[in-house]
Amino acid sequence: MNTGTNKIFTAEMLRSFSETCLQSVGTHKADSVIIADNMVQANLRGEDSHGVQLLPIWVKRINHGGIKTNVTMELVEDHPSTALLNANDGIGQVAAVQAMHLAVKKATQTGFALVGVQHISSYTNAKHSTMIALDHKMIGFSMSNANPILFAPGGITHRIGTNPIAFAVPAKHEFPVVLDMSTAVVGHERIREAVRQNIPIPSEWGVDKAGNPTNDPNDIWEGGSLNHFGGYKGFGLAVIIEALTGVLMDAGFTTGVSEWFPYENIEDRGKLFGALNIEHFINYDTFTSRVDTLIREVRASKLAPGFERIYLPGEKGFLESNKRTSQGIPLDARMVEQLEALALELNVSKLNSLNSTE
Amino acid sequence: MVNSREHIYVNAESIKAFAIRAFMAVGVSQYDAEITTNSMLQAALRGEGDHGMRLVATWINKIKAGGTNPKTPISIIQNHTSTALIDANAGIGAVAAAKAMEMAIEKASSSGAAFVGVRNSNSYANAKYYPMMALESKMIGFTFSNSIPLIPPYGGLTPKSGTNPIAFVVPSKNELPVILDMSTATMAFERLRVYASLGKKVPPGAIISSTGHTIDDPTLLEKKGFLKGAVLQAAGGYKGFGLSLMINLMTGVLFDGAFMDDLREFTPADETEKVSFVLGAININHFMPYDRFIERMDEFILSIKDSDLASEVDQIYLPGEKGSIRYKARLKEGIPLDSPTIETLSAMAKELGIEGIPGKI
């Protein structure tokens, strides 16, 4: 083994390690399983920024009281097709799963349901809860507000979050279509990576603190802002998401939403989960066949120069997930080191003791 | 004849009466003619000329040619607590959309939220008009629609999804309501048509040729058959395409309606567009008291506006704000019509044998 090379872990090892760490700081077993599954799903899909690299952060936030493990969700409002839940600053990933199950249950009866959650922390991997709808032959969607790190177009004060939105639509033989995107032009981690590597970024990505386009990722980091995707369109969508989550769910909005640091911060986000009952419109099998047709049509597009194939939303993640399920999940040495340090701190079995392979 | 740079101003009431006369002359009921006209008039007053009065002639041609059934004989295919599916039977998009929105509002008033689908329709043009109907019922309204494939997937060159508009309308108290109405392409199809009709060049990057080259002259595309071969760029690359695709899946595909290449555009006039769309309503009172919600919306809007400004920026506008300001101004000043629109509408009046607008059309 060399430092700098990747070590390979199975999904099971990472789940088990995460669950142990989370339980050691007071997380209920069932809740730890959901958080671990949320993160490991992201790792499997190749979306490592939402994977186990977040584990040390969750553990610290739980330890500092930023995320509460001993609270229960309350039903604040309950109607045939809508509900409002209070997560009481509990675990976002867990509240998200519960909310999505409730949305599915309601949509089974009424056809369409919206379940809001107030006072909730980040769910980070949005598709984890959203995709629950697929198991019930439904279309699922979710959205969340976030701490304000973006300018409004024309403004130079941080006023709105990267407000993510996710959709999951089942297919028959093809992979489900799973769109999971933030309303910013690119993820913040791309900027962090460009800063680390000291490389320029496209001027469309963001602006400096005075609002001028920049190629220097440091300008965005130091008081500047990412742009919204498609300019005012992404901003418009972010505004609607904020209205439907923080404002409508009686949770924090804009500067009322906090970031993860310092660890004791209560995020106070609002989220919205939706389910749409396919059978209330069309026979489920007919629908999934039609989705397959559409997917194959899209894939048959003539290719632009430099591209080898077309990927549908979420498709790369499914392909990577199949690959990593059989070949394992690579973590870089720095990541492994951080997880081992966490194990030491929490006095739980080290990750390497779980028989990793190289 | 006025030249193309000049406009004449027509007041809203007279153009409204004129459009209603025109629709009724081709067999549309007075009630439906009013809905259809109001939708276009709102776009014209808000300064969105591409979905404004110019469309009266387009839609009437389609009725005359048989692509649109002026009676809009809708049938209800599915009806559940919070969902319904309507077949517009080739009727007028505005009429079918307004009926679907009424149904959505009624369902959401008891269940909390509703999602009503329409298939086999002609396009509804001014998307925001229908969800704005929810404002009176103290609800949030939304809509989205499929449309002919014009944007390629990320990494592709063949158009595989439409400019698929999406609109959300959220009420506020003393501030203007938030009205998002956007296409998932960098530029709406109708706006391209306006550019083409005025001979204007489009901003770089909005359209590319089928071989991947940037085009700035929409008339080049027009020569090949109206915008056939045009490839619009999705807003924000794969994000805009992803949203457009989701709209496709949650409309035509879900409603057993037409999707992708089975959809048609305005022309040829004798063909139905066969578009599908959704009208949705969210009952605010089922989440929190309406009065408190609109106060919170004001607070949210003011927080966005209370921002330091980049140089040469006067103020921050929320979605729909500019249009709402223009709407008020144009109610007083009148609606500017350009010469191609005036010529088209005059020719139409003559053909239909209806009274024009004295001194104008």
Side-chain angles (χ1 to χ4, degrees), chain A residues 77 79 81-84 110-111 114 154-157 159 167 177 182 184 233 236 240 242 246-248 250-251 254 276 280-282 290 297 301-304 307 310 312-313, chain B residues 78 80 82-84 111-112 115 155-158 160 168 180 182-183 185 210 239 245-246 252-257 259 282 286-288 292 296 300 303 306-310 316:
Chain A
E77 290 273 353
H79 303 277
S81 287
T82 55
L84 174 59
T110 67
L114 295 176
I156 51 169
T157 311
R159 277 290 180 259
F167 290 91
V177 184
S182 85
K233 297 194 178 200
I240 295 300
E242 192 84 28
V247 182
L248 183 62
D250 210 356
T254 63
L276 187 60
H280 281 207
F281 294 94
I282 187 173
R290 286 163 66 86
E297 265 292 317
S301 168
K302 198 172 133 193
L303 295 172
F307 286 84
I310 305 280
L312 275 287
Chain B
Q78 295 259 13
H80 303 275
S82 288
T83 56
S111 73
F115 187 101
L157 289 173
T158 320
K160 291 294 181 188
F168 273 91
L180 179 70
M182 64 181 222
S183 87
S210 53
K239 296 194 178 195
L245 199 63
M246 285 300 153
V253 177
L254 181 64
F255 302 153
D256 213 356
F259 62 97
I282 302 170
H286 281 206
F287 292 95
M288 73 160 65
R292 221 168 91 65
R296 285 168 66 83
F300 169 44
S303 144
D306 175 29
S307 165
D308 293 334
L309 300 173
I316 291 170

Coordinates of all heavy atoms in Angstrom, one line a residue, chain A residues 77 79 81-84 110-111 114 154-157 159 167 177 182 184 233 236 240 242 246-248 250-251 254 276 280-282 290 297 301-304 307 310 312-313, chain B residues 78 80 82-84 111-112 115 155-158 160 168 180 182-183 185 210 239 245-246 252-257 259 282 286-288 292 296 300 303 306-310 316:
Chain A
E77 N -49.5 19.4 10.4 CA -50.7 19.6 9.6 C -50.9 18.2 8.8 O -49.9 17.6 8.4 CB -50.5 20.7 8.5 CG -50.4 22.1 9.0 CD -51.8 22.7 9.2 OE1 -52.8 22.1 8.8 OE2 -51.9 23.8 9.8
H79 N -53.6 16.6 5.9 CA -54.8 16.6 5.0 C -54.7 15.5 4.0 O -53.7 14.8 4.0 CB -54.7 18.0 4.3 CG -54.7 19.2 5.3 ND1 -55.9 19.6 5.9 CD2 -53.7 19.9 5.8 CE1 -55.6 20.6 6.7 NE2 -54.3 20.8 6.7
S81 N -54.0 15.2 0.9 CA -52.9 15.1 0.0 C -51.7 15.9 0.4 O -50.7 16.1 -0.3 CB -53.3 15.6 -1.4 OG -54.1 14.7 -2.0
T82 N -51.8 16.5 1.6 CA -50.6 17.3 2.1 C -50.4 17.0 3.6 O -51.3 16.6 4.3 CB -50.8 18.8 1.9 OG1 -52.1 19.1 2.6 CG2 -50.9 19.2 0.5
A83 N -49.2 17.2 4.0 CA -48.9 17.2 5.4 C -47.7 18.1 5.7 O -46.9 18.4 4.8 CB -48.5 15.7 5.9
L84 N -47.6 18.5 6.9 CA -46.4 19.3 7.3 C -45.8 18.6 8.6 O -46.5 18.4 9.5 CB -46.8 20.7 7.6 CG -45.6 21.6 8.2 CD1 -44.4 21.7 7.3 CD2 -46.1 23.0 8.5
T110 N -54.9 9.4 -3.1 CA -55.4 10.6 -3.8 C -54.7 10.9 -5.2 O -55.3 11.7 -5.9 CB -55.1 11.9 -2.9 OG1 -53.7 12.1 -2.9 CG2 -55.7 11.7 -1.5
G111 N -53.6 10.2 -5.5 CA -53.0 10.4 -6.8 C -51.8 11.3 -6.7 O -50.8 11.2 -7.5
L114 N -48.1 16.1 -1.4 CA -46.9 17.0 -1.1 C -46.8 17.0 0.4 O -47.7 17.3 1.2 CB -47.2 18.4 -1.5 CG -47.3 18.7 -3.0 CD1 -47.7 20.2 -3.3 CD2 -46.0 18.4 -3.7
G154 N -27.3 40.5 -10.3 CA -27.2 42.0 -10.1 C -26.8 42.4 -8.7 O -26.4 43.5 -8.5
G155 N -26.9 41.4 -7.8 CA -26.6 41.7 -6.4 C -25.2 41.2 -6.1 O -24.6 40.5 -6.8
I156 N -24.7 41.7 -5.0 CA -23.4 41.3 -4.5 C -23.4 41.0 -3.0 O -22.4 41.1 -2.3 CB -22.2 42.3 -4.8 CG1 -22.6 43.7 -4.3 CG2 -21.9 42.3 -6.3 CD1 -21.4 44.7 -4.4
T157 N -24.6 40.6 -2.5 CA -24.7 40.1 -1.1 C -25.2 38.7 -1.2 O -26.1 38.4 -2.0 CB -25.7 41.0 -0.3 OG1 -25.3 42.3 -0.5 CG2 -25.6 40.6 1.1
R159 N -27.5 35.9 -0.8 CA -28.9 35.9 -0.4 C -29.7 34.6 -0.6 O -30.8 34.5 -0.1 CB -29.6 37.1 -1.2 CG -29.4 38.4 -0.6 CD -30.2 38.6 0.6 NE -30.0 39.8 1.3 CZ -29.2 40.1 2.3 NH1 -28.5 39.1 2.8 NH2 -29.1 41.3 2.8
F167 N -35.7 14.6 -9.1 CA -36.9 13.9 -9.6 C -36.5 12.4 -9.9 O -35.3 12.2 -10.3 CB -37.3 14.5 -11.0 CG -37.9 15.8 -11.0 CD1 -37.1 16.9 -11.1 CD2 -39.3 16.0 -10.8 CE1 -37.7 18.2 -11.1 CE2 -39.9 17.2 -10.8 CZ -39.1 18.3 -11.0
V177 N -35.0 7.3 -14.7 CA -34.4 8.7 -15.0 C -34.4 9.4 -13.6 O -35.5 9.7 -13.0 CB -35.3 9.4 -16.0 CG1 -34.6 10.7 -16.4 CG2 -35.5 8.6 -17.3
S182 N -28.4 20.9 -8.3 CA -28.6 22.2 -7.6 C -28.9 23.3 -8.6 O -28.8 23.1 -9.8 CB -27.3 22.6 -6.9 OG -26.4 23.2 -7.7
A184 N -27.4 26.0 -8.8 CA -26.1 26.7 -9.2 C -25.6 26.1 -10.5 O -25.9 25.0 -10.8 CB -25.1 26.6 -8.1
K233 N -32.8 32.1 -15.0 CA -33.7 30.9 -15.0 C -33.4 30.1 -13.7 O -34.3 29.7 -13.0 CB -33.6 30.1 -16.2 CG -34.0 30.9 -17.4 CD -34.2 30.1 -18.7 CE -34.7 31.0 -19.8 NZ -35.4 30.3 -20.9
G236 N -34.5 32.1 -10.8 CA -36.0 32.0 -10.6 C -36.4 30.7 -10.0 O -37.2 30.7 -9.1
I240 N -38.3 30.1 -6.3 CA -39.5 29.3 -6.2 C -39.3 28.2 -5.1 O -40.2 27.9 -4.3 CB -40.0 28.7 -7.5 CG1 -40.4 29.8 -8.5 CG2 -41.1 27.7 -7.3 CD1 -41.5 30.7 -8.1
E242 N -37.2 28.2 -2.7 CA -37.2 28.8 -1.3 C -38.6 29.1 -0.8 O -38.9 28.9 0.3 CB -36.4 30.2 -1.5 CG -36.0 30.8 -0.1 CD -34.7 30.2 0.5 OE1 -33.8 29.7 -0.3 OE2 -34.6 30.2 1.7
G246 N -38.6 26.8 2.7 CA -38.4 27.6 3.9 C -39.6 28.5 4.2 O -40.1 28.5 5.4
V247 N -40.2 29.2 3.2 CA -41.2 30.2 3.5 C -42.5 29.4 3.8 O -43.2 29.7 4.8 CB -41.5 31.1 2.3 CG1 -42.5 32.1 2.6 CG2 -40.2 31.9 2.0
L248 N -42.9 28.5 2.9 CA -44.2 27.8 3.1 C -44.2 26.8 4.3 O -45.2 26.6 4.9 CB -44.6 27.0 1.8 CG -45.9 26.3 1.8 CD1 -47.1 27.3 2.0 CD2 -46.1 25.5 0.5
D250 N -42.7 27.2 7.1 CA -42.5 27.8 8.4 C -41.1 27.4 9.0 O -41.0 27.2 10.2 CB -43.6 27.5 9.4 CG -43.8 28.7 10.3 OD1 -43.1 29.6 10.3 OD2 -44.8 28.6 11.2
A251 N -40.1 27.4 8.1 CA -38.8 27.1 8.5 C -37.9 28.3 8.2 O -38.4 29.4 7.8 CB -38.2 25.9 7.8
T254 N -33.6 32.2 3.4 CA -32.4 33.0 3.1 C -31.5 33.0 4.2 O -30.9 32.0 4.6 CB -32.8 34.4 2.6 OG1 -33.5 35.1 3.7 CG2 -33.7 34.4 1.4
L276 N -46.2 11.2 -7.1 CA -47.3 11.2 -8.2 C -47.6 9.8 -8.6 O -46.7 9.0 -9.0 CB -46.7 12.0 -9.4 CG -47.6 12.4 -10.5 CD1 -48.8 13.2 -10.1 CD2 -46.9 13.1 -11.6
H280 N -52.8 6.5 -11.6 CA -54.0 7.4 -11.7 C -54.1 8.1 -13.1 O -55.0 8.9 -13.3 CB -54.0 8.4 -10.6 CG -54.5 7.8 -9.3 ND1 -55.1 8.5 -8.3 CD2 -54.5 6.5 -8.8 CE1 -55.4 7.7 -7.3 NE2 -55.1 6.5 -7.6
F281 N -53.0 7.9 -13.9 CA -53.0 8.5 -15.2 C -53.0 7.4 -16.3 O -53.6 7.6 -17.4 CB -51.8 9.4 -15.4 CG -51.9 10.6 -14.5 CD1 -51.3 10.6 -13.2 CD2 -52.6 11.8 -14.9 CE1 -51.4 11.7 -12.4 CE2 -52.7 12.9 -14.0 CZ -52.1 12.8 -12.8
I282 N -52.2 6.4 -16.1 CA -51.9 5.5 -17.2 C -51.5 4.1 -16.6 O -51.0 4.1 -15.4 CB -50.8 6.0 -18.1 CG1 -50.5 5.2 -19.4 CG2 -49.5 6.2 -17.3 CD1 -49.5 5.9 -20.3
R290 N -43.2 3.3 -22.3 CA -43.1 4.6 -23.0 C -41.8 5.4 -22.5 O -41.2 6.0 -23.3 CB -44.4 5.5 -22.7 CG -45.6 5.0 -23.5 CD -46.9 5.5 -23.0 NE -47.0 6.9 -23.1 CZ -47.5 7.6 -24.2 NH1 -47.9 6.8 -25.2 NH2 -47.7 8.8 -24.3
E297 N -34.8 7.0 -27.6 CA -34.9 8.1 -28.6 C -33.8 9.1 -28.3 O -33.1 9.6 -29.2 CB -36.2 8.7 -28.6 CG -37.2 8.2 -29.6 CD -36.8 8.6 -31.0 OE1 -36.4 9.8 -31.2 OE2 -36.9 7.7 -31.9
S301 N -29.6 10.3 -30.3 CA -29.2 11.6 -30.9 C -27.8 11.5 -31.5 O -26.9 10.8 -31.1 CB -29.1 12.6 -29.7 OG -28.5 13.8 -30.2
K302 N -27.7 12.2 -32.6 CA -26.4 12.4 -33.2 C -25.5 13.0 -32.2 O -25.9 13.9 -31.5 CB -26.5 13.3 -34.5 CG -25.4 13.3 -35.5 CD -25.8 14.1 -36.7 CE -24.7 15.0 -37.1 NZ -25.1 16.1 -38.0
L303 N -24.2 12.6 -32.2 CA -23.3 13.0 -31.1 C -22.6 14.3 -31.5 O -22.2 14.5 -32.6 CB -22.2 12.0 -30.8 CG -22.8 10.7 -30.2 CD1 -21.7 9.6 -30.1 CD2 -23.4 10.9 -28.8
A304 N -22.4 15.2 -30.5 CA -21.6 16.4 -30.7 C -20.1 16.0 -30.7 O -19.8 14.9 -30.1 CB -21.9 17.4 -29.6
F307 N -17.9 13.7 -28.0 CA -18.7 12.9 -27.1 C -18.8 11.5 -27.7 O -18.9 11.3 -28.9 CB -20.1 13.5 -26.9 CG -20.1 14.7 -26.0 CD1 -19.8 15.9 -26.5 CD2 -20.4 14.6 -24.7 CE1 -19.8 17.1 -25.7 CE2 -20.4 15.7 -23.8 CZ -20.1 16.9 -24.4
I310 N -24.5 9.4 -25.2 CA -25.4 10.3 -24.5 C -25.8 9.6 -23.2 O -26.1 8.4 -23.2 CB -26.7 10.6 -25.3 CG1 -26.4 11.1 -26.7 CG2 -27.7 11.5 -24.5 CD1 -26.1 12.6 -26.7
L312 N -28.5 9.6 -20.0 CA -29.7 10.2 -19.4 C -29.4 10.7 -18.0 O -28.5 10.2 -17.4 CB -30.8 9.2 -19.4 CG -31.6 9.0 -20.7 CD1 -32.6 10.1 -20.9 CD2 -30.8 8.7 -21.9
P313 N -30.2 11.6 -17.5 CA -30.0 12.0 -16.1 C -30.0 10.8 -15.1 O -30.9 10.0 -15.2 CB -31.2 12.9 -15.8 CG -31.6 13.5 -17.1 CD -31.4 12.3 -18.1
Chain B
Q78 N -59.7 10.5 -16.6 CA -59.5 10.0 -15.2 C -59.8 11.1 -14.2 O -59.6 12.3 -14.5 CB -58.0 9.7 -15.0 CG -57.4 8.6 -15.9 CD -57.3 7.3 -15.2 OE1 -57.8 7.1 -14.0 NE2 -56.6 6.3 -15.8
H80 N -59.6 11.6 -9.9 CA -59.4 11.1 -8.6 C -59.4 12.3 -7.6 O -59.6 13.4 -8.0 CB -58.0 10.3 -8.6 CG -58.0 9.2 -9.6 ND1 -58.4 8.0 -9.3 CD2 -57.5 9.2 -10.9 CE1 -58.3 7.2 -10.4 NE2 -57.7 7.9 -11.3
S82 N -57.1 14.0 -6.0 CA -56.1 15.1 -6.2 C -55.5 15.1 -7.6 O -54.7 15.9 -7.9 CB -55.0 15.0 -5.2 OG -55.4 15.4 -4.0
T83 N -56.0 14.2 -8.5 CA -55.5 14.2 -9.9 C -56.7 14.0 -10.8 O -57.8 13.5 -10.5 CB -54.5 13.1 -10.1 OG1 -55.2 11.8 -9.8 CG2 -53.3 13.2 -9.3
A84 N -56.5 14.5 -12.1 CA -57.4 14.2 -13.1 C -56.6 14.2 -14.4 O -55.5 14.8 -14.5 CB -58.5 15.3 -13.2
S111 N -58.3 18.8 -0.7 CA -57.2 17.8 -0.4 C -55.9 18.4 -0.1 O -55.0 17.8 0.4 CB -57.1 16.8 -1.6 OG -56.5 17.5 -2.7
G112 N -55.7 19.7 -0.5 CA -54.4 20.4 -0.2 C -53.5 20.6 -1.4 O -52.8 21.6 -1.4
F115 N -53.0 18.0 -9.1 CA -52.2 17.9 -10.3 C -53.1 17.4 -11.5 O -53.5 16.2 -11.5 CB -51.1 16.9 -10.0 CG -50.0 16.7 -11.0 CD1 -48.7 17.3 -10.8 CD2 -50.1 15.9 -12.1 CE1 -47.7 17.0 -11.7 CE2 -49.1 15.6 -13.0 CZ -47.9 16.2 -12.8
G155 N -24.2 16.6 -25.0 CA -23.4 15.8 -25.8 C -23.9 15.4 -27.1 O -23.3 14.6 -27.8
G156 N -25.1 15.8 -27.4 CA -25.8 15.5 -28.7 C -26.1 16.7 -29.6 O -25.9 17.8 -29.2
L157 N -26.5 16.4 -30.8 CA -26.8 17.4 -31.8 C -28.3 17.3 -32.3 O -28.8 18.3 -32.9 CB -25.9 17.4 -33.0 CG -24.4 17.7 -32.7 CD1 -23.6 17.5 -34.0 CD2 -24.3 19.2 -32.3
T158 N -28.9 16.2 -32.0 CA -30.3 16.0 -32.5 C -31.3 16.5 -31.5 O -31.2 16.1 -30.3 CB -30.6 14.6 -32.8 OG1 -29.4 14.0 -33.4 CG2 -31.8 14.4 -33.7
K160 N -34.0 16.6 -29.0 CA -34.7 15.4 -28.4 C -35.7 15.9 -27.3 O -36.4 15.0 -26.8 CB -33.7 14.4 -27.8 CG -32.9 13.7 -28.9 CD -33.8 12.8 -29.7 CE -33.0 12.0 -30.8 NZ -33.8 11.3 -31.7
F168 N -44.5 29.0 -12.2 CA -44.9 29.0 -10.8 C -45.4 30.4 -10.4 O -44.7 31.3 -10.8 CB -43.8 28.6 -9.9 CG -43.5 27.1 -9.8 CD1 -42.7 26.4 -10.6 CD2 -44.2 26.4 -8.8 CE1 -42.5 25.0 -10.5 CE2 -44.0 25.0 -8.6 CZ -43.2 24.3 -9.5
L180 N -42.7 33.1 -11.9 CA -41.7 32.5 -12.7 C -42.3 31.9 -14.0 O -43.3 31.1 -13.8 CB -40.9 31.5 -12.0 CG -39.8 30.8 -12.8 CD1 -38.6 31.7 -13.0 CD2 -39.3 29.5 -12.0
M182 N -40.8 30.4 -17.5 CA -39.5 30.3 -18.3 C -39.6 29.1 -19.1 O -40.2 28.1 -18.8 CB -38.3 30.2 -17.3 CG -38.3 29.0 -16.4 SD -36.9 29.0 -15.3 CE -36.4 27.3 -15.4
S183 N -38.8 29.1 -20.3 CA -38.7 27.9 -21.1 C -37.4 27.3 -20.6 O -36.6 27.9 -19.9 CB -38.6 28.3 -22.5 OG -37.3 28.6 -22.9
A185 N -35.1 26.2 -22.5 CA -34.1 26.6 -23.5 C -33.5 27.9 -23.1 O -34.2 28.7 -22.3 CB -34.6 26.6 -24.9
S210 N -27.6 22.0 -37.2 CA -27.7 20.6 -36.9 C -26.3 20.0 -37.0 O -26.1 18.8 -36.7 CB -28.7 19.9 -37.8 OG -28.4 20.2 -39.1
K239 N -28.5 20.7 -17.1 CA -29.5 21.0 -16.1 C -30.8 21.4 -16.8 O -31.9 20.8 -16.5 CB -29.1 22.1 -15.1 CG -27.9 21.6 -14.3 CD -27.6 22.5 -13.1 CE -26.4 21.9 -12.4 NZ -26.2 22.4 -11.0
L245 N -36.5 17.2 -20.0 CA -36.8 15.8 -20.1 C -37.9 15.4 -19.0 O -38.8 14.6 -19.3 CB -35.5 15.0 -19.9 CG -35.5 13.6 -20.4 CD1 -35.7 13.6 -21.9 CD2 -34.2 13.0 -20.1
M246 N -37.7 15.9 -17.8 CA -38.6 15.6 -16.7 C -40.0 16.0 -17.1 O -41.0 15.4 -16.8 CB -38.2 16.2 -15.4 CG -37.0 15.5 -14.8 SD -37.4 13.8 -14.4 CE -35.8 13.1 -14.5
G252 N -46.6 14.4 -21.6 CA -47.0 13.5 -22.7 C -46.9 12.0 -22.4 O -47.7 11.2 -22.7
V253 N -45.7 11.6 -21.8 CA -45.4 10.2 -21.6 C -46.4 9.7 -20.5 O -47.0 8.6 -20.7 CB -44.0 10.0 -21.1 CG1 -43.7 8.6 -20.8 CG2 -43.0 10.5 -22.2
L254 N -46.7 10.5 -19.5 CA -47.5 10.0 -18.4 C -49.0 10.1 -18.8 O -49.8 9.2 -18.3 CB -47.3 10.9 -17.2 CG -48.1 10.7 -15.9 CD1 -47.8 9.3 -15.3 CD2 -47.9 11.7 -14.8
F255 N -49.4 11.0 -19.6 CA -50.8 11.2 -20.0 C -51.3 10.4 -21.2 O -52.4 10.6 -21.7 CB -51.1 12.7 -20.2 CG -50.8 13.6 -19.1 CD1 -50.4 14.9 -19.3 CD2 -50.7 13.1 -17.8 CE1 -50.1 15.7 -18.2 CE2 -50.4 13.9 -16.7 CZ -50.1 15.2 -16.9
D256 N -50.4 9.4 -21.6 CA -50.7 8.6 -22.8 C -51.0 9.6 -24.0 O -51.8 9.3 -24.9 CB -51.9 7.7 -22.5 CG -51.8 6.4 -23.3 OD1 -50.9 6.3 -24.1 OD2 -52.7 5.6 -23.1
G257 N -50.3 10.7 -24.0 CA -50.4 11.6 -25.1 C -49.2 11.6 -26.0 O -48.4 10.7 -25.9
F259 N -45.6 12.5 -27.6 CA -44.3 13.0 -27.1 C -43.3 13.0 -28.2 O -43.4 12.3 -29.1 CB -43.9 12.3 -25.8 CG -43.6 10.8 -25.9 CD1 -42.3 10.4 -26.0 CD2 -44.6 9.9 -25.7 CE1 -42.0 9.0 -26.1 CE2 -44.4 8.6 -25.7 CZ -43.1 8.1 -25.9
I282 N -51.4 24.3 -5.0 CA -51.0 24.0 -3.7 C -51.8 24.9 -2.7 O -51.7 26.2 -2.8 CB -49.5 24.2 -3.5 CG1 -48.7 23.3 -4.5 CG2 -49.1 23.8 -2.1 CD1 -47.2 23.6 -4.6
H286 N -53.3 24.9 4.0 CA -53.0 23.5 4.5 C -51.6 23.4 5.1 O -51.3 22.4 5.7 CB -53.3 22.5 3.5 CG -54.8 22.2 3.3 ND1 -55.3 21.0 2.8 CD2 -55.9 23.0 3.6 CE1 -56.6 21.1 2.8 NE2 -57.0 22.3 3.2
F287 N -50.8 24.4 4.9 CA -49.5 24.4 5.5 C -49.3 25.5 6.6 O -48.8 25.2 7.7 CB -48.4 24.6 4.5 CG -48.3 23.4 3.5 CD1 -49.0 23.4 2.3 CD2 -47.5 22.3 3.9 CE1 -48.9 22.3 1.4 CE2 -47.4 21.2 3.0 CZ -48.1 21.2 1.8
M288 N -49.8 26.7 6.3 CA -49.8 27.7 7.4 C -50.9 28.8 7.0 O -51.3 28.8 5.9 CB -48.4 28.4 7.4 CG -48.1 29.3 6.3 SD -46.8 30.5 6.7 CE -45.4 29.3 7.0
R292 N -50.2 34.8 7.1 CA -48.8 34.7 7.6 C -47.9 34.4 6.5 O -46.8 34.9 6.4 CB -48.7 33.6 8.7 CG -47.9 34.1 9.9 CD -48.0 33.1 11.0 NE -47.1 32.0 11.0 CZ -45.8 32.1 11.1 NH1 -45.3 33.3 11.3 NH2 -45.0 31.1 11.0
R296 N -44.6 36.5 5.2 CA -43.3 35.8 5.0 C -42.8 36.0 3.6 O -41.6 36.2 3.4 CB -43.4 34.4 5.4 CG -43.5 34.1 6.9 CD -43.8 32.7 7.3 NE -42.8 31.7 6.9 CZ -41.7 31.4 7.7 NH1 -41.6 32.0 8.8 NH2 -40.9 30.5 7.3
F300 N -39.3 37.7 2.5 CA -38.3 37.0 1.6 C -37.9 37.9 0.5 O -36.8 38.1 0.2 CB -39.0 35.7 1.2 CG -38.2 34.9 0.1 CD1 -36.9 34.8 0.1 CD2 -39.0 34.4 -1.0 CE1 -36.2 34.1 -0.9 CE2 -38.3 33.7 -2.0 CZ -36.9 33.6 -2.0
S303 N -35.8 40.7 1.5 CA -34.5 40.3 1.9 C -33.6 40.1 0.6 O -32.4 40.4 0.6 CB -34.6 39.0 2.7 OG -33.5 38.1 2.4
D306 N -32.9 43.6 -0.7 CA -32.0 44.3 0.2 C -30.6 43.8 0.1 O -30.1 43.1 1.0 CB -32.5 44.2 1.7 CG -31.6 44.9 2.6 OD1 -30.9 45.8 2.2 OD2 -31.5 44.4 3.8
S307 N -30.0 44.0 -1.0 CA -28.7 43.4 -1.3 C -27.8 44.6 -1.9 O -28.3 45.5 -2.5 CB -28.9 42.3 -2.3 OG -27.7 41.9 -2.9
D308 N -26.5 44.5 -1.6 CA -25.6 45.5 -2.2 C -25.6 45.2 -3.7 O -25.8 44.0 -4.1 CB -24.2 45.4 -1.7 CG -24.1 45.8 -0.2 OD1 -25.0 46.7 0.1 OD2 -23.3 45.3 0.5
L309 N -25.5 46.2 -4.6 CA -25.7 46.0 -6.0 C -24.3 46.1 -6.7 O -23.4 46.8 -6.4 CB -26.6 47.1 -6.6 CG -28.0 47.0 -6.0 CD1 -28.8 48.2 -6.5 CD2 -28.8 45.8 -6.3
A310 N -24.2 45.3 -7.8 CA -23.0 45.4 -8.7 C -23.1 46.7 -9.4 O -24.2 47.3 -9.5 CB -23.1 44.2 -9.6
I316 N -32.5 44.9 -7.9 CA -32.7 43.5 -8.2 C -34.2 43.2 -8.4 O -35.1 43.7 -7.7 CB -32.2 42.6 -7.0 CG1 -30.7 42.7 -6.9 CG2 -32.6 41.2 -7.2 CD1 -30.1 42.1 -5.7

